[in-house]
Amino acid sequence: MKKTLTLAALGLALAMTGCGKKDGESNTTNMAGPLAPSAPYTGKDWSETIVRTPEGGFRMGSPDAPVKLVEYASMTCPHCRDFTRAGGDTLKANYVRTGKLSWEYRNFVLNPLDVAATLVARCQGAETFFPFIEQLYATQTEWVGKFNSVDERTLQSVGALPQQEQFIKLVELSGLQDFFKAHGVPDDRIKACLSDKAALDELIKIRDRAANEEKVDGTPNFFINGVRQEGVYDWPGLETKLREQVR
């Protein structure tokens, strides 16, 4: 994102991490072709099972899946958006649905606008979390672009507001208020989500644990059965790794 607000109120050094792979890094596993067609699956559709996890994420799939995928991602990260666009449907249909793999999404917030969008999406509950993620990514260019068009003087005035009012103003300036209302979240609910101190504290806890204990330094980051997948930042690279694990 081109524009930033003061982060002092959040007590977070969000600028220390970023979105996407580091300069000089590249995937060497992007040549994976599509999976061969398989017979129609007639068992339980585990992609319809979504729960909130003790670690603060949202998990889609069987709790007993032998392969457990954890994704750390940001709502404002274009690389995270591209991953979901390229692989989200295939991941659900070919891996999660059959119970072979569970997919847990953990928010790794990068900036105040990311925090605001995340607070509202998360507080609607597990059932709507993944659909909200998909829709936020689908419209990311619009609402991030609208925020980036805001003049610096306006941003400075927002930065001087109390924390809760900052978040409310951010969703207004970015057009996210209209987005959430169009998806069934009324104004009073949006404001309640943005003023939820416990929810904000949980986001900070998720991020701090990821950065300090799991060494997550950007988004997206992927873990398979607890092992961080170094150098994997997109769907072709991740699917190659998954094929080595999923049987």
Side-chain angles (χ1 to χ4, degrees):
M1 296 177 64
K2 295 178 182 178
K3 300 200 175 182
T4 58
L5 291 173
T6 176
L7 301 172
L10 293 178
L12 290 172
L14 296 183
M16 65 179 282
T17 60
C19 167
K21 60 190 176 186
K22 302 180 183 67
D23 294 339
E25 290 184 332
S26 62
N27 285 330
T28 58
T29 56
N30 287 356
M31 301 306 292
L35 288 173
S38 58
Y41 178 68
T42 58
K44 177 179 174 63
D45 185 350
W46 283 105
S47 68
E48 297 177 353
T49 299
I50 303 171
V51 300
R52 194 162 183 159
T53 69
E55 293 78 15
F58 289 85
R59 186 187 66 224
M60 176 192 300
S62 170
D64 299 318
V67 179
K68 294 175 172 54
L69 171 67
V70 173
E71 173 191 3
Y72 282 99
S74 160
M75 301 285 192
T76 58
C77 170
H79 297 282
C80 304
R81 174 201 64 201
D82 293 345
F83 165 76
T84 296
R85 282 179 174 176
D89 288 343
T90 302
L91 185 58
K92 286 185 284 186
N94 291 356
Y95 295 94
V96 177
R97 183 168 62 113
T98 59
K100 296 177 180 178
L101 175 146
S102 64
W103 174 19
E104 182 179 348
Y105 187 110
R106 296 181 189 172
N107 296 99
F108 191 82
V109 290
L110 299 176
N111 52 71
L113 181 59
D114 189 4
V115 172
T118 299
L119 285 172
V120 181
R122 287 172 61 89
C123 84
Q124 307 315 308
E127 184 176 346
T128 60
F129 179 75
F130 280 95
F132 264 121
I133 293 295
E134 292 172 0
Q135 288 301 308
L136 282 165
Y137 282 148
T139 58
Q140 185 191 82
T141 301
E142 287 77 17
W143 54 271
V144 170
K146 188 172 182 178
F147 172 76
N148 281 335
S149 69
V150 177
D151 63 88
E152 293 293 340
R153 184 174 181 178
T154 299
L155 290 178
Q156 290 175 4
S157 67
V158 173
L161 296 172
Q163 185 179 90
Q164 176 186 342
E165 293 181 31
Q166 285 188 32
F167 290 147
I168 292 172
K169 197 63 178 178
L170 285 175
V171 298
E172 292 175 358
L173 291 172
S174 63
L176 281 173
Q177 183 179 36
D178 293 334
F179 167 89
F180 284 117
K181 288 170 65 176
H183 287 78
V185 187
D187 276 332
D188 57 349
R189 177 65 176 167
I190 293 172
K191 291 179 180 178
C193 295
L194 295 173
S195 62
D196 190 336
K197 180 64 164 55
L200 176 60
D201 289 344
E202 184 178 31
L203 274 186
I204 296 172
K205 183 178 179 180
I206 294 169
R207 189 183 183 283
D208 286 350
R209 178 180 179 276
N212 298 328
E213 298 181 22
E214 299 188 285
K215 308 306 178 186
V216 173
D217 58 356
T219 56
N221 253 232
F222 302 101
F223 290 75
I224 299 176
N225 288 343
V227 179
R228 184 181 176 192
Q229 303 303 297
E230 295 284 351
V232 176
Y233 301 97
D234 58 17
W235 171 242
L238 179 64
E239 188 173 30
T240 297
K241 299 292 186 180
L242 294 179
R243 290 187 190 184
E244 297 172 358
Q245 301 286 333
V246 176
R247 296 291 183 266

